[in-house]
Amino acid sequence: MADFNLIGQSFGPQDLVAKITGRAKYAEDFRAEGMLFTKLLVSPMPHARVRSIDYSEALRLPGVVAVLTADEVPQEDHPFEPCLTNEPLYEGEPILAVAAVDETTAADAIELIRVDLEPLPFALNPLDSLRPGGPNATLMGNVYQEREVVELKWPQEVFDAANEPDQMPLGEANDEWEYGDLEAGFANADYIMEETLCCQSVTHHPMEPRTAMAYWQNGKLYMHSSVQSVAQSRRGIADRLGLELDDVILISEYCGGGFGSKIRGSVTEVIPALLARKTGRPVMMRITRAEETAIGRGRPGMLGWARMGFRNDGRMTALDLFLVQDNGPYSRQGDSGTSGDVAALAYTPESMRFRTVRVLTNTPPRAAQRGPGGVQIVSMLEPMVDRAARQIGVDRLQVRLVNAPNAETQFGRGSYELTSCFAGEALSRGAELFNWSERSQRSGQRNGSKVRGVGIALSPYYGGTSGWDGLVVIRPDGKLYIHQGVGNLGTHSCIDTAKAAAEVLNADWANCEVVFGNTSRHLPHSSSQSGSQTTHAHTRANWVVGQAAKGLLQELAALELGGSPSDYDVSGGRVHRIGAPGTGLTFAQAAERAIARGGKFDGHELPEDINDMTRTSATALAGQGLVAAAKDNLPHTARTYSFVATFIEVEVDVETGAFEIIDVTSVADCGTVLNPRSLAAQANGGVIQGIGIARSFKWAIDPTWGVHLSKRIEATKPPAMLDVPTTLTFEAVDLPDPQNPVGSKGIGEPPVGAGAGALLCAVEDALGGLAPSHQPVTPDKILSIVESGSLGWSRLETHV
Amino acid sequence: MELFRRTFNPWNQEILIGVSWTLLYVAIVAGAAFIIGHAIYAGFIAKKEVPPTDEDVRRVAPNAPERVERHTMTSRISHWILAVSVLALLITGFVPVLGLQFPWVTIHWIAGLVLAAYTVFHTAHVVKRRTLGTMWVSRKELGEMWARVKLMAGGHGAEPPKPGKWAIENKAFHHLTMTAGLVVVGTGLLMMLRVDTVFASANPYILSDATWGVMFVLHGIASVVFVGAIMVHIYFALHPEKHWITWSMIRGWISRRDYAWHHDPKRWPVPPKSVPLKGVSPREPSGTPATHHEP
Amino acid sequence: MAVIHDMMPAYELFQPTDVEGAIALLNEHGDGARVLAGGMDTWDWLKDRAKRITALIDLAGIEELREIRATPDGVDIGALVPLTQVERHSQIVQNYSVLADSARHVATPQIRNQGTLGGNVSQDTRCSYYRSGWPCYRAGGNVCYANTPTSLNREHAILGADRCVAVSPSDTAPALIALDAKMVVQNRRGEREIDAANYFIGPGTDIERMTVLKNGDVLTAIRIPNTWSNAQFYFEKVADRKSWDFPLVNVASALRVENGVIQDSRIVVGAVAAKPLRLFRVEEAIAGRPVNEETAAAAGEIAVRGAEPLRLNGYKVPLMRNLVKRAIRGQEA
């Protein structure tokens, strides 16, 4: 493994001081001359059609400048999600926007508007929609068939066959795959278990709602918006408004989190842009928490069923998995499909069948949420695997080790191969750190009303893509400017991945500047800040562009100082002759020479294969220094996955159903560690988010009215300070991935499933294997299970 | 004046939730106005009716017994049960509206059930005794009533004949309260489903908001009608001129004198020997209470 | 007309500097006026436009309401004393620790800095239907959305429901009742003292109010007598989260124990009914009984007699039973 200067060192992110002191400007902190504010009129019904709107009185209110209706915004057929609609598909969906001189006036104007809505049938629980005669969430149908929305109903017999209220009906799926001989797998099993699965939808609730401010200048749109990714969101905005990419300037240097809900910006962010165009004035749309609950996306919940076959040694011989995905009303969500792959990877069953159906519901729109599909399946299956392990008498660590994937594993729908896999190492190291052998002996130990329990979960998740661009400039000021089109949503990867370029150039980090968050600063075509891809994708892209810059420096030095490029090396902010360090050029000199020579040295000639956005940016930078742009063409021949193994010990009070988390230990296989401090923060943050999903985070929608009842963070209950131990242990296996030049893989998502799964397993362990099997495991459910062995209501209820 | 109370349901659709409580005050004022009007009329305008002499009684009702049964024990008991339940319903229903809060719901629905049971019993009773027609108002009675009204208003003409067992005002009151009663009982029974009772857990979703709105309005209107009607009813029960009726509702019978005075024996023939009334001491002096006949 | 939530409307703000001034303002503005203490309950209502006002009477400027005073008979706590101060005040910590304990269990340090004791006990219920502005009984309508065959009523009442099934959300209220505290209420007719247990009212008494306070009334102080000073106290709150959450059930108790035998007690349970319930029957039953598992278990059973759980809150019965048990026995078996 290469010896790195920057990779593997702890750094504080360069925006830390700005964030802590409040100098960092988020979307809603911007003001512009003559700026208006807009407020939204949203649907009070889960599914309705606008019959008429009368906003004449609102327009007469002093201070009101304009009204924007669905008729004035881009519309396409479902599943396209418009920013304003005349057929709201969920409660809280924006119908109309009012722009006024201040927010109070805009809100008061909303109250003067008459909207006549015709209520339409709505579905909240996917099973209700699949019943014969059940409601469809949209006028086109209720399920996704490939990319089309069609109608699918299961015959009554399917529901009758599932006679218990808790038992999952198994009807027709419309997406399935299979490998191995499932029948033989079950026939060869020593132990078979089958169970109903369920997992709740949960809202994203990033700290910063999807606020946006927009204005137009000379035909160009200037947009301050809270987005996860910059280059990709700029594309998103251009697409939604039908603009040329160059006509959109997106400024988003700081984003207060997104968790997947702002990957390409958000549907509603174009509302201020359209109002700004209509009024000729800047328009600010601050999104409130209640609005964010509705438009801010959620994780698809799932109802399902699994059948598992095990040999006596714990090896999984067969897995039959059926998932009904609560898809929300709009775009098709990939979660359940990913769940299938993740299950296949986590347990490498000898044979497997996967079936799913994605059902539309009139609940807030879904989007990827940190570990989409992975969190759901890990949290549903890990406790089930535990129950099986208890039955066959195999240690719960052992059952995971025996089924864990390795570098040779092929898995999932496409028999995918892995670039690397150290899942077993993560499990073993975690067991060692956690002291599993000793702690697992304490399982079920009772002290007064308190019972101990331990749990493990292994959570695999995507760890990166490839093929993006890098763009760096060495300016006459002697600094290396690393341009990043990824977003800065608090994960540090925006900064950390830039180090790959600095690493190649042996640059002093203090002499480097990362340019990000504002497309007018000429950013390259970058990956979206999602799918844990940034670390992998942009260490690659920046490595490649670092190499390109190094090549240019060497070539330049050879031209300027003689010799051949290979006679030169780059370090200490200079390009210098190998063996004669005194002969060379400083970065400042090189930048000036590059400008003087022009052509490929200063960006006037660019590689053929880079993306147009990168080309435009590099062209704009041309002549400002030594400009290097490059596309990541490094080999990427398999799928990159990261793995997190989390171990949790809890103490459950069986008299109250409350529990305390005693210890959380996680070990990750995420390749080479880029920045230990950021990594621990990111991994533990993910584990905590998973713990929150398992123990308290939820949303609640009234089944009769389809109206959201948990519109504040206080009611959605993400984990709070005292819900996790003060110290969480984290370590990385720190073994390099061979298909990444620095050896890194993504880490954003796998910890979430690990945290959720391990906690559920630990709680269930304390209860002697009795499971609430319903997330989150709040005290009411635990106590009900302790008292009567059942929840007292059906586990198949959704949005409870 | 707003006649209805409205609100917006969770879908922001305007729904009816009842009648305006102003109507309650309207009913109280109307009832009070009637009472005051009647009191003034009876006290100062109407000529005092002279009780019939013994001679008159013998002439008009030669064969009538001393005590003429007007209400059987069954109907008296059921009347008083009805009275208690209606009063309980009105108090529990309206006192909180007037501002005095107390846990009224359970008492209200229990009293409502009593009223419902009374309704069923009373209906079964009259059906069984084939007395459904008793309360029928004939065209002739209407004509007589009109003549009486004209006389009261200072007109001239012959005194119309006296009524049979039930005067038209009794019948009118009966029909008014029967209608209002059926409405409150019907809507009230449904409304019981909206709260937890011993019979069922609350389920306000068995009817739509719009249907419930109609239920609330009907219940409210009928209840408000009851307020006025019961005020007037109690007024008459306490009015000295009507004490003979009040007593009959307690004792079951009226005296031969009152029979002859207030009724037309041809229209309400009674058997010569009235059956001794249960619960009444045979030694009790005959005749109506003296107060009735004092000028 | 359309509705909009989560956006503060305009109203007049008044900041009187004495109680009389506040009362005069309340009377002047009548039904449109609302009292503001820490705002932890009020801001939500106003922002959601679920309760409309014309005038907000901010009590923060009234110095006397922010004081804790030792009295010969105990301690007087101004209604606007922040919970943080209640949690830390030496006399309260030493003599009435159940109150300090309960205050510490409220929400978060930030909310306890802002929220006041008077506000905490006078806050409105957290029923999510009611707070969403739905036209339920409590909001002047004629339906309870939380008590239907489909309602989400995990947090709702198991006792004392009357049409409305909302519960009292306060953590400090049970402690105050356990301490026999008096609530000092002032209006233009003068000042009156109300037993803490009678300060709270159920839906049967008035379905639109949680306390006896009517418009024009100001809760000025909470008076703690020394009756229960240094008694054997217990407070426990069970919630979904360990901070920033309302109780699923909480319990506060004060026991006078001599030679292991209970002489007198106060047992109060919160979040099971619209008002914190003082459990008289339990108190009677345990008087003269030894403090042991048996007494505690019997007390728990008596406590939940007559409980009528709703669709999703059956767990509250064992939870209340166990908390009452622990209030007598202590947490460890």
Side-chain angles (χ1 to χ4, degrees), chain A residues 759-791:
Chain A
L759 180 66
L760 294 168
C761 288
V763 168
E764 186 179 322
D765 185 43
L767 300 177
L770 277 173
S773 299
H774 198 280
Q775 301 166 31
V777 282
T778 40
D780 54 320
K781 295 176 193 168
I782 294 177
L783 193 57
S784 298
I785 290 294
V786 170
E787 288 284 323
S788 63
S790 89
L791 293 178

Coordinates of all heavy atoms in Angstrom, one line a residue, chain A residues 759-791:
Chain A
L759 N -29.5 -2.8 17.4 CA -30.3 -2.4 18.5 C -31.6 -3.3 18.7 O -31.9 -3.8 19.7 CB -30.8 -0.9 18.4 CG -31.7 -0.5 19.6 CD1 -30.9 -0.5 20.9 CD2 -32.3 0.9 19.4
L760 N -32.2 -3.5 17.5 CA -33.4 -4.4 17.5 C -33.1 -5.8 18.1 O -33.8 -6.4 18.8 CB -34.1 -4.5 16.2 CG -34.6 -3.1 15.7 CD1 -35.0 -3.2 14.2 CD2 -35.9 -2.7 16.5
C761 N -31.9 -6.3 17.6 CA -31.5 -7.6 18.1 C -31.2 -7.6 19.6 O -31.5 -8.6 20.3 CB -30.2 -8.0 17.3 SG -30.5 -8.4 15.6
A762 N -30.6 -6.5 20.0 CA -30.2 -6.5 21.5 C -31.5 -6.4 22.3 O -31.6 -7.1 23.3 CB -29.4 -5.3 21.7
V763 N -32.5 -5.6 21.9 CA -33.7 -5.5 22.7 C -34.4 -6.9 22.7 O -34.9 -7.3 23.7 CB -34.6 -4.4 22.1 CG1 -36.0 -4.5 22.7 CG2 -34.0 -3.0 22.3
E764 N -34.5 -7.5 21.5 CA -35.1 -8.8 21.5 C -34.4 -9.8 22.3 O -35.0 -10.7 22.9 CB -35.2 -9.2 20.0 CG -36.0 -10.4 19.8 CD -36.0 -10.8 18.3 OE1 -36.1 -9.9 17.5 OE2 -35.9 -12.0 18.0
D765 N -33.1 -9.7 22.3 CA -32.3 -10.6 23.1 C -32.6 -10.5 24.6 O -32.8 -11.5 25.3 CB -30.8 -10.3 22.9 CG -29.9 -11.3 23.6 OD1 -30.2 -12.6 23.5 OD2 -28.9 -10.9 24.2
A766 N -32.8 -9.2 25.0 CA -33.1 -9.0 26.4 C -34.5 -9.6 26.8 O -34.8 -10.0 27.9 CB -33.1 -7.5 26.8
L767 N -35.4 -9.6 25.8 CA -36.7 -10.1 26.0 C -36.8 -11.6 25.7 O -37.9 -12.2 25.6 CB -37.7 -9.4 25.1 CG -37.8 -7.9 25.3 CD1 -38.8 -7.2 24.2 CD2 -38.2 -7.5 26.7
G768 N -35.6 -12.2 25.7 CA -35.6 -13.7 25.5 C -36.1 -14.1 24.2 O -36.7 -15.2 24.1
G769 N -36.0 -13.3 23.2 CA -36.4 -13.7 21.8 C -37.8 -13.3 21.5 O -38.2 -13.4 20.3
L770 N -38.5 -12.7 22.4 CA -39.8 -12.1 22.1 C -39.6 -10.8 21.3 O -38.7 -10.0 21.7 CB -40.6 -11.8 23.4 CG -41.3 -13.0 24.0 CD1 -41.9 -12.5 25.4 CD2 -42.4 -13.4 23.1
A771 N -40.3 -10.6 20.3 CA -40.0 -9.4 19.5 C -41.2 -8.6 19.3 O -42.3 -9.1 18.9 CB -39.4 -9.9 18.1
P772 N -41.1 -7.3 19.5 CA -42.2 -6.4 19.1 C -42.3 -6.5 17.6 O -43.4 -6.3 17.0 CB -41.7 -5.0 19.5 CG -40.7 -5.3 20.6 CD -40.0 -6.5 20.2
S773 N -41.2 -6.8 16.8 CA -41.2 -6.9 15.4 C -42.0 -5.7 14.8 O -42.7 -5.8 13.8 CB -41.9 -8.2 14.9 OG -41.2 -9.2 15.4
H774 N -41.9 -4.6 15.4 CA -42.5 -3.4 14.8 C -41.6 -2.2 15.2 O -41.3 -2.1 16.4 CB -43.9 -3.2 15.4 CG -44.8 -2.3 14.6 ND1 -44.7 -0.9 14.7 CD2 -45.7 -2.5 13.6 CE1 -45.5 -0.4 13.8 NE2 -46.1 -1.3 13.2
Q775 N -41.2 -1.5 14.3 CA -40.3 -0.3 14.6 C -41.2 1.0 14.6 O -42.1 1.1 13.9 CB -39.3 -0.2 13.5 CG -38.4 -1.4 13.4 CD -37.6 -1.3 12.1 OE1 -37.2 -0.3 11.6 NE2 -37.3 -2.5 11.5
P776 N -40.7 1.9 15.4 CA -39.6 1.8 16.4 C -40.1 1.0 17.6 O -41.2 1.0 18.0 CB -39.4 3.3 16.8 CG -40.7 4.0 16.5 CD -41.4 3.2 15.4
V777 N -39.1 0.5 18.3 CA -39.4 -0.3 19.5 C -39.5 0.7 20.7 O -38.6 0.8 21.5 CB -38.4 -1.4 19.8 CG1 -38.7 -2.6 19.0 CG2 -37.0 -1.0 19.7
T778 N -40.6 1.3 20.8 CA -40.9 2.3 21.9 C -41.4 1.5 23.1 O -41.8 0.3 23.0 CB -42.0 3.3 21.4 OG1 -43.0 2.5 20.7 CG2 -41.4 4.3 20.5
P779 N -41.3 2.1 24.3 CA -41.7 1.4 25.5 C -43.1 0.7 25.5 O -43.2 -0.3 26.0 CB -41.7 2.5 26.6 CG -40.8 3.6 26.0 CD -40.9 3.5 24.5
D780 N -44.0 1.4 24.8 CA -45.4 0.8 24.7 C -45.3 -0.6 24.1 O -46.0 -1.5 24.6 CB -46.3 1.7 24.0 CG -45.8 2.0 22.6 OD1 -44.6 2.3 22.4 OD2 -46.6 2.1 21.6
K781 N -44.6 -0.7 23.0 CA -44.5 -2.0 22.3 C -43.8 -3.1 23.2 O -44.2 -4.2 23.3 CB -43.9 -1.9 21.0 CG -44.7 -1.0 20.0 CD -44.0 -0.7 18.7 CE -44.6 0.4 17.9 NZ -43.8 0.8 16.8
I782 N -42.7 -2.7 23.7 CA -41.9 -3.6 24.6 C -42.8 -4.1 25.7 O -42.9 -5.3 26.0 CB -40.6 -2.9 25.1 CG1 -39.7 -2.7 23.9 CG2 -39.9 -3.8 26.1 CD1 -38.4 -2.0 24.2
L783 N -43.4 -3.1 26.4 CA -44.2 -3.5 27.5 C -45.4 -4.4 27.1 O -45.7 -5.4 27.8 CB -44.7 -2.3 28.3 CG -45.3 -2.5 29.7 CD1 -44.3 -3.2 30.6 CD2 -45.8 -1.2 30.3
S784 N -46.0 -4.1 26.0 CA -47.1 -5.0 25.5 C -46.6 -6.4 25.3 O -47.3 -7.4 25.6 CB -47.7 -4.4 24.2 OG -48.2 -3.1 24.4
I785 N -45.4 -6.5 24.7 CA -44.9 -7.8 24.4 C -44.6 -8.6 25.7 O -44.9 -9.7 25.9 CB -43.6 -7.7 23.6 CG1 -43.9 -7.2 22.2 CG2 -42.8 -9.0 23.5 CD1 -44.7 -8.2 21.3
V786 N -44.0 -7.8 26.7 CA -43.7 -8.4 28.0 C -44.9 -8.9 28.6 O -45.0 -10.0 29.2 CB -42.9 -7.4 28.9 CG1 -42.8 -8.0 30.3 CG2 -41.5 -7.2 28.3
E787 N -46.0 -8.1 28.6 CA -47.2 -8.4 29.3 C -48.0 -9.4 28.7 O -48.6 -10.3 29.3 CB -48.0 -7.1 29.5 CG -47.5 -6.1 30.4 CD -47.7 -6.5 31.9 OE1 -48.7 -7.0 32.2 OE2 -46.8 -6.2 32.7
S788 N -48.2 -9.3 27.3 CA -49.2 -10.2 26.7 C -48.6 -11.0 25.5 O -49.3 -11.7 24.9 CB -50.4 -9.4 26.3 OG -50.0 -8.5 25.3
G789 N -47.4 -10.7 25.1 CA -46.8 -11.4 24.0 C -47.3 -10.8 22.7 O -46.8 -11.3 21.6
S790 N -48.1 -9.8 22.7 CA -48.5 -9.2 21.4 C -48.7 -7.7 21.6 O -48.8 -7.2 22.7 CB -49.8 -9.9 20.9 OG -50.9 -9.2 21.4
L791 N -48.8 -7.0 20.4 CA -48.9 -5.6 20.5 C -50.3 -5.2 20.8 O -50.5 -4.1 21.3 CB -48.5 -5.0 19.1 CG -47.1 -5.1 18.7 CD1 -46.9 -4.5 17.3 CD2 -46.2 -4.3 19.7

